[in-house]
Amino acid sequence: MTRTEPSLTSLAHGGGCGCKLSPGVLRDILKDMPQGAMFADLMVGNETSDDAAVWRLNDTQALVATTDFFMPVVDDPFHFGQIAATNALSDVYAMGGTPILALALVGMPINVLSSETIGRILQGGASVCAAAGIPVAGGHSIDSVEPIYGLVALGLVHPDHILTNAGARPGDRLVLTKPLGVGILSAALKQGRLDEAGYATLVASTTRLNRFGARLAGRGGVHAVTDVTGFGLLGHALEMARGAGVTVELSADPPVLPGVRALLEAGLRTGASGRHWAAYGQDVLGLDEGELRTLMTDPQTSGGLLIAVAEGELAELQAAARAEGVDAVVVGRVVEGPAQVRVRPS
């Protein structure tokens, strides 16, 4: 008798980077955490909202360490594993690092899902790691009520070439390497409103490695980088603004994945967008309630890199991105002013 299994997304109360705690809740939880300033070799720790920790190993190497995991954003187990692994490795790339190995983090309802399904999730993650040129060298698993999968990801970067989200300078242009709308597409999938073309778009975007970030380490004119994930474009741009003590101006016409605008016009929304706006909307100017706000607060599972680059180096960076098959689209600029985000008409 064939065992019938529920869909992966039906077992989770949320999916992908939409599972993240809201920025306000996270700040409250972490406010009393001890800082790492007493450790001389800790180059990047939890004092900032950076994508990964960085520990100096010697004069030419620093270890980039991060972890990321979440509940299913799609029902196909192999795709779920691919998306989760791509998302986890993105934090290493966002720091300018090159991944060297990964460890799997696995929580599964073993009485609900078959070993074959769980195995396909792990195989999906391993396939992405293989594409990145690294092994899944171990990990840890537990019996969990909801399916959870992700990675501990480790990488290397030169200590002088670390990229953080805190170095943006007035005059920089901001470029984004993936269009927005992953959260909207994944919500449509869960509601049975996503067609085959939309699903293909969702998987293609979320499984594309941000390996271009490793090419940015040591590149002249690149002052700050972060990946746009669970807090949406606005949330991660605001982290960049706060890190550098500047104002980030974003265009009201960001790049958008195919099919997303039609879903927005049909009234599709994610709960995370509302939570995000409640957490940081007081530091955002020029954005009224509506589809644009939903899009800019939309949680991006395995989103693109947001790069602050000197205007004089912009054309060269965009050319380098194109050579890697990456679209580096200008979405804003950095100006003098308080730590906030301002949305300006396109």
Side-chain angles (χ1 to χ4, degrees), residues 96-294:
T98 298
I100 56 172
L101 66 86
L103 306 173
L105 300 173
V106 184
M108 294 290 157
I110 58 174
N111 292 326
V112 178
L113 295 177
S114 67
S115 57
E116 290 79 11
T117 295
I118 298 170
R120 288 292 288 166
I121 294 171
L122 272 61
Q123 291 163 20
S127 74
V128 165
C129 290
I134 65 171
V136 179
H140 184 65
S141 60
I142 62 169
D143 186 2
S144 172
V145 175
E146 296 182 274
I148 298 169
Y149 176 71
L151 299 177
V152 174
L154 303 177
L156 293 174
V157 65
H158 193 288
D160 296 337
H161 297 160
I162 298 167
L163 299 171
T164 75
N165 65 6
R169 304 176 187 176
D172 285 349
R173 303 300 294 272
L174 294 174
V175 299
L176 183 65
T177 62
K178 289 185 184 182
L180 304 177
V182 166
I184 297 297
L185 293 177
S186 59
L189 174 65
K190 198 160 188 177
Q191 295 176 24
R193 298 168 61 181
L194 191 66
D195 59 19
E196 288 186 11
Y199 183 77
T201 295
L202 170 64
V203 172
S205 178
T206 53
T207 59
R208 179 159 60 84
L209 286 164
N210 280 326
R211 65 172 84 239
F212 183 60
R215 313 286 194 270
L216 300 176
R219 189 180 187 89
V222 174
H223 298 141
V225 180
T226 188
D227 65 340
V228 178
T229 53
F231 298 154
L233 177 60
L234 280 181
H236 292 285
L238 182 58
E239 289 180 340
M240 189 176 281
R242 288 169 174 165
V246 296
T247 294
V248 166
E249 289 189 342
L250 293 176
S251 167
D253 188 26
V256 182
L257 290 167
V260 169
R261 292 197 183 279
L263 291 167
L264 285 169
E265 291 170 1
L268 197 144
R269 301 289 185 270
T270 65
S273 289
R275 294 192 296 273
H276 291 164
W277 183 255
Y280 55 62
Q282 72 277 3
D283 292 323
V284 179
L285 304 178
L287 188 58
D288 296 326
E289 185 175 1
E291 293 175 8
L292 182 60
R293 182 193 292 184
T294 299

